[in-house]
Amino acid sequence: MKPVYAKTPLTIPQQVEHLQQRGLHIPDAARAHLVLRRVGLYRLKGFLLPYKTPAGYVPGTSFADAERLMKLDEALRLHVLGAMQTVEVGVRQAIVQWMLERHGLRWYAEPIHFHEPNEYFDHTEFLSKVTEEFSRMPELFVGHYRERYDLDVPPPIWMIAETMSLGGWSKLFAALRSQEDRDGIAGLLGVRASTFTSWLHALTVVRNVCAHQSRLYDRVFATMGVADNKRVRRRLLEQSFDPRDTEARRLAPRLYALHRLTQALNPECAWTADLMGVVAGYSAAEVVRLGFRPGWNAQPEWTTVGTGH
């Protein structure tokens, strides 16, 4: 039988003392009190993982090192959420418009367009959920629709689209029965359908991490597709990504997916250039925890629009 977790909670001063006993240099205890009261010991210790040893922390590690990485983490989360605004709307529009033009304004309600139910997607459950969520929306257009139109007939897809999250679109895209439809939608964004499926799933996880203010820095994710072009994939693995990240489980491959999608949706977007600014000033040892190798930001995959297509 496993033991019950029963460590004694520590007061803020005790937390500072605990960190000092582990070898963390804290020259300003009052500032440490303020930070710990704001973010908590458990969260702070997550940013100290790169400096952790069996005996404590690497000699010379200071409280400021953790604060520095928390600042990077916050900047990354905000920057990723900025890209998500473009990607979520763009992905939604690509799927909606492609299917709308070929299958009509209520294609989402027709089981023929989807695979048989499985553990990831059940069309009956999906349809029930999105129509219920639509009916509860407080927006004026929903009230207008309820007053004027037959509620026994599902509303047009562009209204339902407003209720769905990126995770919902990820599952819906993967469940589309027609390979032609999947290829056509993904092609609008410059990727193959299999890669697009992988990216949507991976980016949904990243989005949720950011939305819940969880730690993005030094995080390990599930594996994902790097790129659908073998030449580009090889160059990314050889020149951009940490060679130890053989299964693309760090943040860097997900940032590459955001780079590709934001550029496909808006070639004038400066998101990638701004990303380079976010990590500028941090050491190679700090940036490698994101899954990058030194010099990644000078590679053509990140600096030339369209090289991944």
Side-chain angles (χ1 to χ4, degrees):
M1 182 179 294
K2 294 181 180 179
V4 175
Y5 186 93
K7 289 187 178 181
T8 303
L10 301 177
T11 65
I12 299 296
Q14 288 173 333
Q15 291 175 19
V16 173
E17 183 179 356
H18 163 75
L19 292 170
Q20 290 174 321
Q21 290 174 348
R22 299 289 291 168
L24 189 67
H25 179 55
I26 305 180
D28 188 344
R31 176 172 179 78
H33 286 188
L34 290 174
V35 173
L36 286 167
R37 195 171 297 281
R38 185 174 72 248
V39 305
L41 178 63
Y42 186 78
R43 183 181 182 87
L44 180 104
K45 290 175 76 172
F47 292 97
L48 289 169
L49 288 175
Y51 308 103
K52 191 175 181 180
T53 71
Y57 295 110
V58 174
T61 304
S62 71
F63 194 87
D65 291 320
E67 286 193 274
R68 174 181 172 84
L69 295 181
M70 283 194 291
K71 183 177 180 181
L72 173 59
D73 182 70
E74 180 180 6
L76 281 170
R77 280 187 282 107
L78 291 173
H79 196 58
V80 166
L81 285 174
M84 288 297 179
Q85 296 180 43
T86 298
V87 170
E88 287 198 49
V89 174
V91 164
R92 174 201 305 173
Q93 175 60 16
I95 296 174
V96 166
Q97 194 65 34
W98 176 275
M99 297 295 290
L100 181 69
E101 292 178 6
R102 287 155 183 81
H103 305 295
L105 54 82
R106 294 183 177 85
W107 60 265
Y108 72 94
E110 300 167 0
I112 192 173
H113 299 303
F114 300 93
H115 289 300
E116 294 299 318
N118 56 46
E119 60 181 308
Y120 303 107
F121 187 89
D122 183 310
H123 179 261
T124 301
E125 293 180 0
F126 158 77
L127 185 59
S128 175
K129 179 180 178 181
V130 295
T131 52
E132 181 181 349
E133 289 177 346
F134 172 80
S135 67
R136 294 201 307 261
M137 289 179 69
E139 277 78 357
L140 289 176
F141 75 87
V142 176
H144 176 74
Y145 185 86
R146 283 198 298 259
E147 291 174 1
R148 296 195 58 181
Y149 299 101
D150 184 353
L151 297 181
D152 291 329
V153 177
I157 180 57
W158 56 80
M159 292 186 179
I160 288 294
E162 297 297 321
T163 74
M164 291 177 59
S165 66
L166 183 62
W169 290 110
S170 175
K171 292 178 181 178
L172 181 144
F173 178 80
L176 288 175
R177 185 186 297 272
S178 168
Q179 186 64 47
E180 181 182 355
D181 286 334
R182 291 198 302 274
D183 288 341
I185 292 164
L188 295 174
L189 298 170
V191 295
R192 292 178 181 171
S194 57
T195 302
F196 190 51
T197 301
S198 176
W199 283 5
L200 285 181
H201 177 71
L203 292 178
T204 296
V205 175
V206 171
R207 181 208 174 279
N208 292 340
V209 167
C210 294
H212 294 292
Q213 312 303 320
S214 298
R215 176 170 53 85
L216 196 59
Y217 179 78
D218 199 24
R219 195 179 193 96
V220 177
F221 300 88
T223 189
M224 66 171 282
V226 174
D228 49 7
N229 182 307
K230 292 183 178 179
R231 175 178 53 84
V232 173
R233 183 180 186 279
R234 184 177 64 253
R235 287 209 304 258
L236 286 167
L237 295 174
E238 291 175 351
Q239 301 175 16
S240 290
F241 299 152
D242 182 349
R244 295 168 296 183
D245 187 22
T246 57
E247 296 184 337
R249 300 185 66 191
R250 289 289 185 170
L251 181 63
R254 289 146 182 82
L255 295 176
Y256 176 72
L258 286 175
H259 158 67
R260 283 280 301 279
L261 293 175
T262 53
Q263 287 294 321
L265 290 163
N266 180 9
E268 297 179 354
C269 177
W271 185 85
T272 304
D274 292 340
L275 169 66
M276 296 175 185
V278 169
V279 301
Y282 288 87
S283 70
E286 291 168 326
V287 175
V288 77
R289 292 275 178 167
L290 300 174
F292 286 118
R293 71 169 73 204
W296 69 274
N297 53 345
Q299 301 307 315
E301 286 72 34
W302 298 88
T303 58
T304 306
V305 176
T307 56
H309 299 239

